[in-house]
């Protein structure tokens, strides 16, 4: 059994205002070629197929075209919902499409009922929002660790198949994030211990965009392209997994346009021959001039025409106020609420108040999911820069 592990396509996403759909179509065509050339039996996509719950029509068409081409190769395709996907919309027609070799996992009720391919049981787990799924799964707590344990208990209770593959969309302990993801590790509540996946033959993770190995049998494929400047220098790839031999190899994905981070004084950046590689890249430029240059963006774009972000970090910026986005980075909803409480009354929230705020936020999440009729994967909302 040969698997190709991918995740976090985020179809329809933009990069600092530049649409990525053409690059994403090219990636999907590349994926079809890889499936054909490597005789892939099953393609796994571990969540965040779309970038938003309501994808644009041309984005839906791009996915439709890709799935038709993939199924025409004879491979089986398994998709699971991520926090950016609308479970109800993504899962429409899934029972019919499963007869054609396209399996779409969006329903928590399907956990423990795997897709059996020869002797391999594939368990695709949709994104598990604790506030929504803790009760249906019988979890003891409303945390990511607790709901994943409950889901994995159902996986282990299933005796189908000699080998087991699990697809999950989560932040597993030991992994590293980047700026294009929402940090779900705040306070430890978002972290899933890797031991939850012990005794599984292969765990195909999604949610984090950096490709990485957590354990030999547990890894993130990463996103197929960079979605933030913090991913500059990363080699994006898909993971080819041979279950029979246990071998795993990386298949690099095509680079539509590289990303680069440049830092220095304006004249230095314009004259440095070592920066030739960035002339065709999407660039984030930070100028360190003592005095902010006049017309800096226009001058930078003469050499680096695809510059999308320009910042200043010279001596004159020392002590400058931290932006609102920077203050909120890597902080969860409960932490932000506690900060507000501390601000308005000059006293931090105590343990009981912290628990009450956490309970209230969980109730709002449940109500939002029910009101939107989007199912479990709706929590996470619309795409925005800096969100996984």
């Amino acid at each position: 059994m040969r698997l190709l592990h991918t995740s976090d396509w985020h179809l329809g996403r933009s990069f600092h205002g530049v649409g990525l759909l053409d690059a994403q179509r090219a990636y999907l065509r590349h994926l079809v070629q890889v499936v054909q050339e490597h005789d892939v039996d099953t393609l796994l996509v571990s969540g965040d197929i779309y970038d938003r719950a309501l994808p644009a029509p041309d984005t839906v068409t791009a996915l439709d075209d890709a799935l038709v081409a993939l199924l025409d190769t004879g491979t089986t395709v398994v998709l699971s919902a991520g926090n950016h996907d609308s479970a109800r919309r993504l899962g429409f027609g899934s029972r019919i499409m499963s007869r054609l070799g396209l399996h779409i996992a969006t329903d928590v009720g399907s956990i423990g009922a795997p897709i059996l391919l020869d002797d391999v049981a594939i368990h695709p787990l949709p994104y598990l929002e604790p506030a929504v799924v803790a009760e249906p799964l019988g979890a003891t707590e409303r945390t990511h660790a607790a709901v994943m344990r409950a889901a994995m208990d159902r996986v282990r209770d299933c005796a189908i198949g000699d080998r087991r593959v699990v697809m999950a969309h989560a932040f597993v302990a030991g992994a590293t994030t980047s700026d294009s993801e929402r940090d779900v590790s705040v306070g430890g509540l978002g972290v899933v211990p890797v031991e939850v996946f012990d005794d599984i033959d292969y765990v195909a993770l999604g949610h984090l965009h950096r490709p990485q190995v957590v354990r030999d049998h547990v890894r993130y494929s990463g996103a197929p392209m960079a979605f933030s400047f913090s991913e500059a220098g990363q080699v994006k790839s898909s993971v080819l997994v041979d279950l029979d031999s246990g071998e795993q190899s990386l298949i690099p994905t095509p680079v539509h346009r590289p990303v680069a981070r440049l830092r220095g004084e304006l004249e230095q950046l314009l004259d440095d021959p070592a920066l030739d590689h960035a002339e065709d890249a999407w660039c984030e430029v930070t100028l360190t001039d003592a005095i902010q240059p006049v017309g800096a963006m226009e001058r930078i774009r003469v050499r680096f025409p695809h510059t999308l972000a320009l910042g200043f970090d010279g001596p004159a910026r020392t002590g400058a106020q931290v932006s609102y986005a920077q203050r909120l980075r890597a902080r969860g909803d409960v932490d932000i609420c506690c900060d507000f409480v501390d601000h308005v009354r000059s006293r931090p929230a105590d343990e009981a108040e912290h628990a009450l705020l956490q309970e209230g936020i969980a109730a709002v999440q449940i109500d939002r999911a029910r009101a939107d009729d989007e199912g479990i994967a709706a929590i996470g909302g619309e795409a925005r820069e800096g969100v996984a």
Side-chain angles (χ1 to χ4, degrees):
M1 174 66 69
R2 185 169 292 174
L3 311 173
L4 188 66
H5 168 201
T6 71
S7 73
D8 296 275
W9 292 358
H10 285 279
L11 297 179
R13 191 160 187 157
S14 61
F15 186 79
H16 287 263
V18 178
L20 295 176
L21 193 55
D22 285 343
Q24 290 171 328
R25 288 192 185 101
Y27 163 72
L28 294 173
R29 291 192 295 268
H30 153 83
L31 210 55
V32 174
Q33 294 176 349
V34 171
V35 166
Q36 291 174 319
E37 292 173 5
H38 293 274
D39 296 323
V40 172
D41 298 296
T42 307
L43 171 67
L44 311 178
V45 191
S46 299
D48 283 353
I49 288 84
Y50 290 124
D51 191 54
R52 58 184 64 209
L54 293 170
D58 54 351
T59 304
V60 176
T61 299
L63 178 62
D64 183 55
D65 290 342
L67 292 176
V68 170
L70 287 164
L71 292 175
D72 283 346
T73 68
T75 193
T76 299
V77 179
V78 185
L79 311 179
S80 59
N83 56 300
H84 274 243
D85 299 308
S86 161
R88 188 173 298 276
R89 289 185 173 87
L90 183 64
F92 174 77
S94 58
R95 286 176 294 179
I96 295 174
M97 289 185 280
S98 65
R99 301 176 186 180
L100 303 175
L102 172 60
H103 303 269
I104 306 175
T106 60
D107 183 10
V108 173
S110 68
I111 296 176
I115 301 157
L116 185 63
L117 303 172
D118 296 330
D119 67 335
V120 178
I122 298 177
H123 293 264
L125 309 182
Y127 175 70
L128 303 175
E129 170 55 48
V132 181
V133 306
E135 185 175 345
L137 286 176
T140 56
E141 300 176 314
R142 286 184 174 180
T143 65
H144 285 270
V147 297
M148 188 62 75
R149 285 194 187 97
M152 290 304 298
D153 286 344
R154 292 191 180 188
V155 169
R156 291 186 175 91
D157 287 342
C158 175
I160 299 175
D162 296 330
R163 294 176 290 180
R164 288 179 295 195
V165 171
V166 169
M167 301 165 59
H169 197 80
F171 180 21
V172 176
T176 305
T177 63
S178 63
D179 288 348
S180 62
E181 303 139 3
R182 181 179 183 180
D183 188 352
V184 295
S185 67
V186 176
L189 296 178
V191 179
V192 174
V194 68
E195 291 79 14
V196 168
F197 302 110
D198 284 351
D199 71 20
I200 302 300
D201 293 277
Y202 184 76
V203 181
L205 295 175
H207 191 45
L208 301 188
H209 297 169
R210 180 189 300 273
Q212 54 197 296
V213 178
V214 185
R215 286 194 177 172
D216 288 344
H217 69 297
V218 181
R219 75 186 299 159
Y220 287 93
S221 65
M225 61 188 63
F227 295 131
S228 75
F229 285 109
S230 67
E231 296 168 69
Q234 292 181 16
V235 178
K236 300 298 188 177
S237 57
S238 304
V239 186
L240 188 65
V241 182
D242 192 318
L243 286 181
D244 296 327
S245 66
E247 293 182 1
Q248 301 173 22
S249 56
L250 301 181
I251 310 294
T253 60
V255 179
H256 174 73
R257 190 180 299 282
V259 297
R261 277 180 154 171
L262 310 180
R263 180 183 178 87
E265 295 185 356
L266 177 59
E267 297 301 332
Q268 171 200 346
L269 297 180
L270 294 178
D271 296 336
D272 190 350
L275 300 180
D276 288 350
H277 69 280
E279 292 180 355
D280 193 43
W282 278 316
C283 294
E284 177 192 65
V285 177
T286 302
L287 296 180
T288 60
D289 298 75
I291 299 175
Q292 184 172 320
V294 176
M297 179 62 92
E298 291 78 6
R299 295 182 64 190
I300 279 290
R301 282 182 170 169
V302 170
R303 182 178 184 189
F304 307 106
H306 305 290
T307 298
L308 300 180
L310 177 63
F312 301 92
D313 192 24
R317 301 289 292 181
T318 302
Q321 290 187 348
V322 179
S323 72
Y324 180 71
Q326 289 173 318
R327 293 199 301 272
L328 295 188
R329 182 171 295 168
R331 298 189 64 77
D333 296 334
V334 175
D335 294 313
I336 294 170
C337 290
C338 288
D339 288 347
F340 176 75
V341 170
D342 189 8
H343 173 72
V344 298
R345 71 179 187 189
S346 300
R347 177 172 64 82
D350 59 28
E351 186 175 341
E353 292 167 334
H354 188 280
L356 184 62
L357 287 168
Q358 188 172 356
E359 181 180 344
I361 290 171
V364 170
Q365 291 175 325
I366 293 172
D367 288 343
R368 184 192 304 167
R370 288 172 178 165
D372 292 345
D373 196 26
E374 293 298 345
I376 296 160
I379 303 297
E382 296 296 313
R384 57 191 183 275
E385 197 69 31
V387 179

